Amino acid sequence: MISERIVRLSEKVRDTPVTICLDRARLITDFYSQPSMEPFMIRRAKSFAYVLDNKKIFIDEDSVLAGHLASRLHGTPLYPDMTAWLRDDLEELDTRESDNLKFMPGEKEELRKIVKKWEGRAFGDLTAALADPDMDEMVNLGIFTKGVSNKSTMNHAPFYDELVTKGYRFYIDQCKANIAGIEKMNIEQMEKRYTWEAMIIVMEAIIRFAHRYAKLAEVMAADCTDAERKTQLLTIAENCRVVPENAPKNFHQAAQLVWFTHLALQMEYNSNDNCLGRFDQYMYPFYKQDLADGVEEAFIADLVHEFKLKIAELWEVRTTRESIAYPGCPLWIHMMIGGVLPDGSDGCNDLTRLILHCMEDLQTKEPCVSFRYHDGVDEETFRLALAVARKGGSHPAFFNDSTNISHLLSLGHSLEDARNWGICGCIEPSVPGITDFQSNAGYFNPSKVFEIMLNNGVDPISGKQIGPKTGDVRTFTSVKQIMDAYEIQQDFFMNKFVELFDRIVSCHAWTAPTITGSCFTHGCIEKGTVLQRRGAEHRYSAVAITGIANIADSLAAIEECVFNKQYLSMGELMDLLETDFEGKENLRQLLINKAPKYGNDIEEVDCYAHWLSKLCNDQITKHTDGRDAKYTMVISTQSYNVVLGQLIGALPDGRKAYTALADNASPMIGMDVNGPTAVVKSLGRIDPLLAQSGVLVNQRFDPAIVKGEKGLEIIETVVKTYFDDQHGQHIQLNVVDDETLLAAQKDPQKYRNILVRVAGYSAYFVDLEKDIQDNIIARTLQKSL
């Protein structure tokens, strides 16, 4: 049971429309209107401090945790200093279908004026100038996307394990001691000094921000006539005087410290994929001590609920295109539970189980609660997690300790550190507190490259010669010639992709340092440098690969239908693709039904999925980025399978022009017909150990087959088969039938709280654009093992 207070908070977060808050936009514009010769690092630190010191604050009448992103509930700030795209998308923010936002009266015109002041001066303008014209053309054609070009590092994973035992003052004192320890000043030492000073400015500003809430709570308490609420307000005031400056004394204060820190990470640069780390581990000592001190577990459960609702209230304003690719405004804020401890023993505890029971009572779209599985996991806790997922709330997702630890060992982490991993991004593993990770170098689209290869380097939609000439496929006589030509095309485009990202990520170091994140990542204070200037020892960037299934199925169709059975020639196949199978539906069905399809445990087609993933990984990992960081591969599309599919014509697998590609690493919609066990065996053949940043897998189950104990065993068998036998990295479950989703489309209000797993995150089904809804409905509904 959840308290009435939590019910009210939940309803507010769900029911309050998202509105654009101009508070930050006004303040940052005002700050930068004042001339200054200060070093950019100090200037940037002071700009954030200015926002924290002057932004409007409030405390909701039902809250016991202080702090909000904006000046009102479900408000979302804007970053005109970073997002050059605002000039183009401003007018449709409140009219677009996906992630529609509202302006307060008169503020749209005010925003136009603010954006005008930043024209040509925003961070996005700087990165736009770094791209060559051919790179921009490749982005426009859908060959790849341009990552982190309008924001700084979007992934932070502070060392909360240590932070909750120290408080900010410990790190401030470290910076001061480092400054005092400078013996001889030179250029390098001056840069370090400015960095330490900037860190002090930011941490002191966050402490003052907390003190502002303490003062507000005290003022509200003085006027409060309700005894219970008065006590709550005075507790808020006390907590905000203690944390984040000092180490917390109880669960309530620890949660407040983590929340203030997480809030600051997002507020500073609009970063979103910030990992909460192993919440059930670093909060467990406070949980145990509170119970020993007589605190009721129901109160701690309420704090867990409110903490999650705080995260759920966060919002990010994206471009119109990204609002379609990432519908429902995912932030990928992962709360890790379960998994092995640094010594290899099982980490499941009473707090793990309390969090899962809280999820039985109330699901939220954020944070992404992620359960770490291993072969020695506490079986009762694991089955509880499966039961919670089965209820249809789409959380938790499941991650395999063995595979993720293996990935991190291959990236140079020690075994003890690797065992402390969390997800930072969609499904990408990293080690909190010691890693600088970029989860969005961009999306690379093999299906578009394949289409260009089929046309000898020409994009058939625009008619432009965008890639190298690799031969007229109408004259090819083997699949190997197709694969060889594709390899040349992909290598050409991958080099362009990497070159563009290297320029952008290097620009971060000189314009957009994430000072808050640097304060709480080992290496930065010690070296006197920020994350963007190689502060962390471990650095890597993930390149997302889309549409694996479409390439595998296309190669299998060409091999079987053209070269083996000779149902048609390569010339006839190309004619079909050019006309989008018009008047030739029988031949389209031949390509679909006569060739094997990925996702059915058929080695003849699965081998092509392995070939492509290995080729992508080899071509990606031979590079390092502008920070001397390693590149990694993640097989993931989010909903870019819909967006990028709109830029691609017909493919040899029978897919029609401009329709959605396969989502993530899953089979093409409707092509997996042999059940979920066959799907995970096909996935195993692409070798999940290749993609060091993960393989995203969606599976949707019919509620009728997963009922009761037998149904739970079905889900458990699928997860364990994939993890234990196939070395799978990640799997997420939707347990909802077509009838319910179709009914939700007709009557959104009645079904407004249905959460579905989209792609590495959850969203309310009725909040998604219809194209995305239809894509989710079209996913194979597993009705047997």
Side-chain angles (χ1 to χ4, degrees), residues 572-607:
E572 289 170 326
L573 174 62
M574 290 304 297
D575 290 342
L576 287 175
L577 301 183
E578 288 173 5
T579 59
D580 195 21
F581 305 103
E582 185 177 356
K584 302 288 185 179
E585 179 62 21
N586 61 320
L587 293 179
R588 188 174 86 91
Q589 290 301 320
L590 182 147
L591 292 168
I592 292 173
N593 295 311
K594 293 295 185 180
K597 294 293 181 286
Y598 166 75
N600 294 288
D601 189 20
I602 302 172
E603 189 170 357
E604 289 80 3
V605 61
D606 295 345
C607 68

Side-chain angles (χ1 to χ4, degrees), residues 132-415:
D132 296 336
D134 65 333
M135 295 173 176
D136 285 332
E137 186 67 29
M138 291 171 191
V139 171
N140 293 335
L141 293 176
I143 297 168
F144 50 75
T145 67
K146 186 164 59 172
V148 290
S149 60
N150 278 260
K151 60 167 56 183
S152 187
T153 300
M154 59 188 287
N155 307 95
H156 296 94
F159 41 80
Y160 284 121
D161 309 56
E162 179 182 277
L163 185 55
V164 296
T165 69
K166 304 289 187 183
Y168 286 19
R169 187 58 57 191
F170 172 82
Y171 304 103
I172 292 171
D173 289 343
Q174 278 190 327
C175 292
K176 289 181 177 179
N178 289 343
I179 293 171
I182 297 175
E183 295 181 356
K184 177 176 172 55
M185 187 59 70
N186 56 33
I187 295 172
E188 291 75 22
Q189 292 300 321
M190 183 60 77
E191 182 179 354
K192 292 181 180 181
R193 178 185 178 118
Y194 285 144
T195 302
W196 287 320
E197 288 178 351
M199 290 174 169
I200 293 169
I201 290 168
V202 165
M203 285 187 281
E204 293 282 13
I206 301 171
I207 290 170
R208 290 196 305 274
F209 184 57
H211 289 175
R212 291 182 65 203
Y213 278 103
K215 184 175 180 180
L216 175 60
E218 289 164 349
V219 171
M220 292 173 67
D223 295 333
C224 185
T225 57
D226 181 273
E228 181 181 5
R229 183 56 183 162
K230 189 183 192 76
T231 299
Q232 290 174 346
L233 289 166
L234 291 175
T235 300
I236 291 174
E238 178 185 358
N239 291 345
C240 292
R241 297 283 185 201
V242 174
V243 297
E245 181 172 9
N246 305 294
K249 302 172 184 175
N250 53 46
F251 193 96
H252 195 170
Q253 290 183 356
Q256 183 69 72
L257 182 149
V258 174
W259 171 237
F260 271 138
T261 305
H262 188 90
L263 193 59
L265 291 171
Q266 180 154 347
M267 289 170 61
E268 185 181 6
Y269 270 114
N270 202 25
S271 66
N272 50 292
D273 301 16
N274 301 312
C275 181
L276 293 167
R278 305 188 68 180
F279 191 85
D280 64 339
Q281 301 304 315
Y282 62 76
M283 294 294 287
Y284 186 51
F286 298 102
Y287 167 85
K288 288 196 300 182
Q289 187 59 53
D290 273 12
L291 293 182
D293 291 341
V295 176
E296 293 185 3
E297 189 173 61
F299 176 72
I300 298 175
D302 267 12
L303 288 173
V304 171
H305 282 307
E306 183 173 350
F307 184 87
K308 289 179 61 189
L309 287 167
K310 286 285 190 185
I311 300 292
E313 187 201 338
L314 296 175
W315 198 271
E316 178 190 1
V317 183
R318 294 188 169 100
T319 67
T320 297
R321 184 185 187 191
E322 287 185 333
S323 75
I324 298 170
Y326 306 128
C329 193
L331 298 179
W332 301 284
I333 300 166
H334 287 263
M335 174 187 285
M336 309 304 300
I337 59 175
V340 297
L341 298 176
D343 64 2
S345 61
D346 180 47
C348 293
N349 57 42
D350 288 339
L351 181 56
T352 314
R353 289 179 280 275
L354 177 64
I355 293 169
L356 289 168
H357 285 305
C358 286
M359 294 167 66
E360 288 183 306
D361 294 331
L362 177 65
Q363 285 272 24
T364 55
K365 74 181 186 73
E366 294 280 355
C368 303
V369 180
S370 299
F371 187 90
R372 288 179 41 176
Y373 166 85
H374 60 99
D375 57 11
V377 71
D378 178 75
E379 186 67 15
E380 179 186 351
T381 308
F382 175 51
R383 287 177 68 82
L384 174 60
L386 292 171
V388 172
R390 181 178 61 176
K391 287 190 69 175
S394 76
H395 286 128
F398 295 88
F399 290 84
N400 186 2
D401 261 358
S402 175
T403 299
N404 284 285
I405 290 169
S406 175
H407 289 329
L408 293 165
L409 290 172
S410 72
L411 288 167
H413 289 282
S414 70
L415 178 59

